[in-house]
PDB file of all heavy atoms in Angstrom:
ATOM      1  N   ILE B  18     105.930   1.278  90.898  1.00 98.00           N
ATOM      2  CA  ILE B  18     104.878   2.068  90.272  1.00 98.00           C
ATOM      3  C   ILE B  18     104.017   2.706  91.365  1.00 98.00           C
ATOM      4  O   ILE B  18     103.721   2.102  92.401  1.00 98.00           O
ATOM      5  CB  ILE B  18     103.938   1.094  89.389  1.00 98.00           C
ATOM      6  CG1 ILE B  18     102.851   1.922  88.695  1.00 98.00           C
ATOM      7  CG2 ILE B  18     103.347  -0.039  90.245  1.00 98.00           C
ATOM      8  CD1 ILE B  18     102.050   1.114  87.653  1.00 98.00           C
ATOM      9  N   SER B  19     103.645   3.937  91.131  1.00 98.00           N
ATOM     10  CA  SER B  19     102.677   4.624  91.957  1.00 98.00           C
ATOM     11  C   SER B  19     101.330   4.716  91.224  1.00 98.00           C
ATOM     12  O   SER B  19     101.319   5.107  90.016  1.00 98.00           O
ATOM     13  CB  SER B  19     103.147   6.030  92.248  1.00 98.00           C
ATOM     14  OG  SER B  19     104.279   6.024  93.091  1.00 98.00           O
ATOM     15  N   ILE B  20     100.289   4.365  91.858  1.00 98.00           N
ATOM     16  CA  ILE B  20      98.897   4.472  91.263  1.00 98.00           C
ATOM     17  C   ILE B  20      98.022   5.327  92.156  1.00 98.00           C
ATOM     18  O   ILE B  20      97.761   4.965  93.313  1.00 98.00           O
ATOM     19  CB  ILE B  20      98.219   3.054  91.119  1.00 98.00           C
ATOM     20  CG1 ILE B  20      99.205   2.205  90.136  1.00 98.00           C
ATOM     21  CG2 ILE B  20      96.886   3.218  90.510  1.00 98.00           C
ATOM     22  CD1 ILE B  20      98.703   0.792  90.013  1.00 98.00           C
ATOM     23  N   LEU B  21      97.675   6.476  91.578  1.00 98.00           N
ATOM     24  CA  LEU B  21      96.764   7.344  92.269  1.00 98.00           C
ATOM     25  C   LEU B  21      95.351   7.262  91.665  1.00 98.00           C
ATOM     26  O   LEU B  21      95.186   7.348  90.472  1.00 98.00           O
ATOM     27  CB  LEU B  21      97.292   8.796  92.259  1.00 98.00           C
ATOM     28  CG  LEU B  21      98.668   8.940  93.018  1.00 98.00           C
ATOM     29  CD1 LEU B  21      99.777   8.992  91.990  1.00 98.00           C
ATOM     30  CD2 LEU B  21      98.668  10.207  93.817  1.00 98.00           C
ATOM     31  N   ASN B  22      94.374   7.176  92.474  1.00 98.00           N
ATOM     32  CA  ASN B  22      93.042   6.979  91.984  1.00 98.00           C
ATOM     33  C   ASN B  22      92.123   8.149  92.254  1.00 98.00           C
ATOM     34  O   ASN B  22      92.297   8.981  93.172  1.00 98.00           O
ATOM     35  CB  ASN B  22      92.426   5.744  92.646  1.00 98.00           C
ATOM     36  CG  ASN B  22      93.150   4.458  92.238  1.00 98.00           C
ATOM     37  OD1 ASN B  22      93.227   4.200  91.080  1.00 98.00           O
ATOM     38  ND2 ASN B  22      93.635   3.734  93.275  1.00 98.00           N
ATOM     39  N   CYS B  23      91.147   8.279  91.386  1.00 97.00           N
ATOM     40  CA  CYS B  23      90.127   9.397  91.444  1.00 97.00           C
ATOM     41  C   CYS B  23      88.803   8.873  90.937  1.00 97.00           C
ATOM     42  O   CYS B  23      88.726   8.174  89.898  1.00 97.00           O
ATOM     43  CB  CYS B  23      90.702  10.537  90.579  1.00 97.00           C
ATOM     44  SG  CYS B  23      89.700  11.991  90.560  1.00 97.00           S
ATOM     45  N   ASP B  24      87.743   9.104  91.654  1.00 97.00           N
ATOM     46  CA  ASP B  24      86.425   8.683  91.236  1.00 97.00           C
ATOM     47  C   ASP B  24      85.534  10.015  91.099  1.00 97.00           C
ATOM     48  O   ASP B  24      85.766  10.990  91.805  1.00 97.00           O
ATOM     49  CB  ASP B  24      85.778   7.844  92.321  1.00 97.00           C
ATOM     50  CG  ASP B  24      86.494   6.499  92.473  1.00 97.00           C
ATOM     51  OD1 ASP B  24      86.589   5.810  91.470  1.00 97.00           O
ATOM     52  OD2 ASP B  24      87.002   6.219  93.580  1.00 97.00           O
ATOM     53  N   TYR B  25      84.643   9.948  90.145  1.00 97.00           N
ATOM     54  CA  TYR B  25      83.720  11.042  89.959  1.00 97.00           C
ATOM     55  C   TYR B  25      82.299  10.624  89.884  1.00 97.00           C
ATOM     56  O   TYR B  25      82.044   9.446  89.543  1.00 97.00           O
ATOM     57  CB  TYR B  25      84.173  11.894  88.727  1.00 97.00           C
ATOM     58  CG  TYR B  25      84.182  11.186  87.449  1.00 97.00           C
ATOM     59  CD1 TYR B  25      83.078  11.215  86.612  1.00 97.00           C
ATOM     60  CD2 TYR B  25      85.280  10.433  87.013  1.00 97.00           C
ATOM     61  CE1 TYR B  25      83.098  10.537  85.401  1.00 97.00           C
ATOM     62  CE2 TYR B  25      85.259   9.756  85.799  1.00 97.00           C
ATOM     63  CZ  TYR B  25      84.200   9.829  84.983  1.00 97.00           C
ATOM     64  OH  TYR B  25      84.186   9.175  83.789  1.00 97.00           O
ATOM     65  N   THR B  26      81.393  11.497  90.131  1.00 96.00           N
ATOM     66  CA  THR B  26      79.993  11.211  90.107  1.00 96.00           C
ATOM     67  C   THR B  26      79.218  11.752  88.939  1.00 96.00           C
ATOM     68  O   THR B  26      78.189  11.283  88.570  1.00 96.00           O
ATOM     69  CB  THR B  26      79.345  11.645  91.420  1.00 96.00           C
ATOM     70  OG1 THR B  26      79.485  13.054  91.513  1.00 96.00           O
ATOM     71  CG2 THR B  26      79.910  10.988  92.616  1.00 96.00           C
ATOM     72  N   ASN B  27      79.711  12.834  88.326  1.00 93.00           N
ATOM     73  CA  ASN B  27      79.070  13.532  87.246  1.00 93.00           C
ATOM     74  C   ASN B  27      79.454  12.947  85.918  1.00 93.00           C
ATOM     75  O   ASN B  27      80.513  13.156  85.439  1.00 93.00           O
ATOM     76  CB  ASN B  27      79.413  15.048  87.313  1.00 93.00           C
ATOM     77  CG  ASN B  27      78.535  15.835  86.316  1.00 93.00           C
ATOM     78  OD1 ASN B  27      77.880  15.362  85.485  1.00 93.00           O
ATOM     79  ND2 ASN B  27      78.617  17.180  86.536  1.00 93.00           N
ATOM     80  N   SER B  28      78.490  12.246  85.314  1.00 93.00           N
ATOM     81  CA  SER B  28      78.755  11.612  84.008  1.00 93.00           C
ATOM     82  C   SER B  28      78.888  12.631  82.870  1.00 93.00           C
ATOM     83  O   SER B  28      79.315  12.231  81.787  1.00 93.00           O
ATOM     84  CB  SER B  28      77.637  10.603  83.706  1.00 93.00           C
ATOM     85  OG  SER B  28      76.454  11.307  83.642  1.00 93.00           O
ATOM     86  N   MET B  29      78.700  13.840  83.195  1.00 92.00           N
ATOM     87  CA  MET B  29      78.826  14.885  82.138  1.00 92.00           C
ATOM     88  C   MET B  29      80.282  15.438  81.995  1.00 92.00           C
ATOM     89  O   MET B  29      80.602  16.059  81.084  1.00 92.00           O
ATOM     90  CB  MET B  29      77.916  16.055  82.427  1.00 92.00           C
ATOM     91  CG  MET B  29      76.424  15.753  82.347  1.00 92.00           C
ATOM     92  SD  MET B  29      75.868  15.101  80.803  1.00 92.00           S
ATOM     93  CE  MET B  29      75.964  16.645  79.842  1.00 92.00           C
ATOM     94  N   PHE B  30      81.075  15.017  82.960  1.00 93.00           N
ATOM     95  CA  PHE B  30      82.548  15.536  82.863  1.00 93.00           C
ATOM     96  C   PHE B  30      83.113  14.986  81.538  1.00 93.00           C
ATOM     97  O   PHE B  30      82.971  13.772  81.237  1.00 93.00           O
ATOM     98  CB  PHE B  30      83.333  14.996  84.079  1.00 93.00           C
ATOM     99  CG  PHE B  30      83.133  15.661  85.327  1.00 93.00           C
ATOM    100  CD1 PHE B  30      83.077  14.949  86.504  1.00 93.00           C
ATOM    101  CD2 PHE B  30      82.961  17.043  85.422  1.00 93.00           C
ATOM    102  CE1 PHE B  30      82.851  15.592  87.733  1.00 93.00           C
ATOM    103  CE2 PHE B  30      82.757  17.686  86.603  1.00 93.00           C
ATOM    104  CZ  PHE B  30      82.727  17.000  87.775  1.00 93.00           C
ATOM    105  N   ASP B  31      83.776  15.857  80.807  1.00 90.00           N
ATOM    106  CA  ASP B  31      84.358  15.499  79.540  1.00 90.00           C
ATOM    107  C   ASP B  31      85.809  15.765  79.416  1.00 90.00           C
ATOM    108  O   ASP B  31      86.460  15.530  78.413  1.00 90.00           O
ATOM    109  CB  ASP B  31      83.562  16.122  78.350  1.00 90.00           C
ATOM    110  CG  ASP B  31      83.597  17.628  78.447  1.00 90.00           C
ATOM    111  OD1 ASP B  31      84.297  18.222  79.368  1.00 90.00           O
ATOM    112  OD2 ASP B  31      82.992  18.246  77.644  1.00 90.00           O
ATOM    113  N   TYR B  32      86.466  16.251  80.486  1.00 91.00           N
ATOM    114  CA  TYR B  32      87.900  16.631  80.468  1.00 91.00           C
ATOM    115  C   TYR B  32      88.402  16.437  81.831  1.00 91.00           C
ATOM    116  O   TYR B  32      87.771  16.905  82.844  1.00 91.00           O
ATOM    117  CB  TYR B  32      88.114  18.015  79.969  1.00 91.00           C
ATOM    118  CG  TYR B  32      89.467  18.211  79.448  1.00 91.00           C
ATOM    119  CD1 TYR B  32      89.834  17.802  78.196  1.00 91.00           C
ATOM    120  CD2 TYR B  32      90.407  18.889  80.181  1.00 91.00           C
ATOM    121  CE1 TYR B  32      91.091  17.958  77.684  1.00 91.00           C
ATOM    122  CE2 TYR B  32      91.736  19.126  79.679  1.00 91.00           C
ATOM    123  CZ  TYR B  32      92.045  18.658  78.418  1.00 91.00           C
ATOM    124  OH  TYR B  32      93.306  18.842  77.975  1.00 91.00           O
ATOM    125  N   PHE B  33      89.473  15.711  82.020  1.00 93.00           N
ATOM    126  CA  PHE B  33      90.083  15.376  83.238  1.00 93.00           C
ATOM    127  C   PHE B  33      91.611  15.795  83.245  1.00 93.00           C
ATOM    128  O   PHE B  33      92.299  15.636  82.292  1.00 93.00           O
ATOM    129  CB  PHE B  33      89.946  13.916  83.551  1.00 93.00           C
ATOM    130  CG  PHE B  33      88.569  13.391  83.520  1.00 93.00           C
ATOM    131  CD1 PHE B  33      88.008  13.013  82.292  1.00 93.00           C
ATOM    132  CD2 PHE B  33      87.741  13.432  84.654  1.00 93.00           C
ATOM    133  CE1 PHE B  33      86.699  12.605  82.246  1.00 93.00           C
ATOM    134  CE2 PHE B  33      86.447  13.024  84.599  1.00 93.00           C
ATOM    135  CZ  PHE B  33      85.942  12.601  83.396  1.00 93.00           C
ATOM    136  N   LEU B  34      92.041  16.260  84.411  1.00 93.00           N
ATOM    137  CA  LEU B  34      93.435  16.683  84.560  1.00 93.00           C
ATOM    138  C   LEU B  34      93.994  16.256  85.852  1.00 93.00           C
ATOM    139  O   LEU B  34      93.316  16.001  86.790  1.00 93.00           O
ATOM    140  CB  LEU B  34      93.560  18.258  84.517  1.00 93.00           C
ATOM    141  CG  LEU B  34      92.867  19.011  83.294  1.00 93.00           C
ATOM    142  CD1 LEU B  34      91.384  19.341  83.662  1.00 93.00           C
ATOM    143  CD2 LEU B  34      93.647  20.233  83.015  1.00 93.00           C
ATOM    144  N   TRP B  35      95.329  16.069  85.882  1.00 95.00           N
ATOM    145  CA  TRP B  35      96.090  15.834  87.143  1.00 95.00           C
ATOM    146  C   TRP B  35      97.043  16.972  87.358  1.00 95.00           C
ATOM    147  O   TRP B  35      97.802  17.448  86.442  1.00 95.00           O
ATOM    148  CB  TRP B  35      96.804  14.501  87.058  1.00 95.00           C
ATOM    149  CG  TRP B  35      95.989  13.293  87.272  1.00 95.00           C
ATOM    150  CD1 TRP B  35      95.373  12.553  86.215  1.00 95.00           C
ATOM    151  CD2 TRP B  35      95.584  12.680  88.438  1.00 95.00           C
ATOM    152  NE1 TRP B  35      94.676  11.479  86.795  1.00 95.00           N
ATOM    153  CE2 TRP B  35      94.778  11.594  88.107  1.00 95.00           C
ATOM    154  CE3 TRP B  35      95.861  12.926  89.856  1.00 95.00           C
ATOM    155  CZ2 TRP B  35      94.225  10.754  89.088  1.00 95.00           C
ATOM    156  CZ3 TRP B  35      95.357  12.131  90.748  1.00 95.00           C
ATOM    157  CH2 TRP B  35      94.547  11.012  90.420  1.00 95.00           C
ATOM    158  N   TYR B  36      97.098  17.369  88.618  1.00 95.00           N
ATOM    159  CA  TYR B  36      98.052  18.380  89.000  1.00 95.00           C
ATOM    160  C   TYR B  36      98.902  17.890  90.169  1.00 95.00           C
ATOM    161  O   TYR B  36      98.510  17.050  90.960  1.00 95.00           O
ATOM    162  CB  TYR B  36      97.325  19.683  89.530  1.00 95.00           C
ATOM    163  CG  TYR B  36      96.770  20.484  88.419  1.00 95.00           C
ATOM    164  CD1 TYR B  36      95.523  20.202  87.814  1.00 95.00           C
ATOM    165  CD2 TYR B  36      97.450  21.647  88.033  1.00 95.00           C
ATOM    166  CE1 TYR B  36      95.068  21.050  86.822  1.00 95.00           C
ATOM    167  CE2 TYR B  36      96.927  22.480  87.044  1.00 95.00           C
ATOM    168  CZ  TYR B  36      95.711  22.130  86.374  1.00 95.00           C
ATOM    169  OH  TYR B  36      95.255  22.945  85.414  1.00 95.00           O
TER     170      TYR B  36
END
Side-chain angles (χ1 to χ4, degrees):
Chain B
I18 183 172
S19 294
I20 300 177
L21 296 101
N22 295 304
C23 181
D24 296 300
Y25 60 94
T26 58
N27 189 344
S28 58
M29 298 299 290
F30 283 141
D31 58 4
Y32 201 78
F33 304 87
L34 307 89
W35 282 95
Y36 282 82

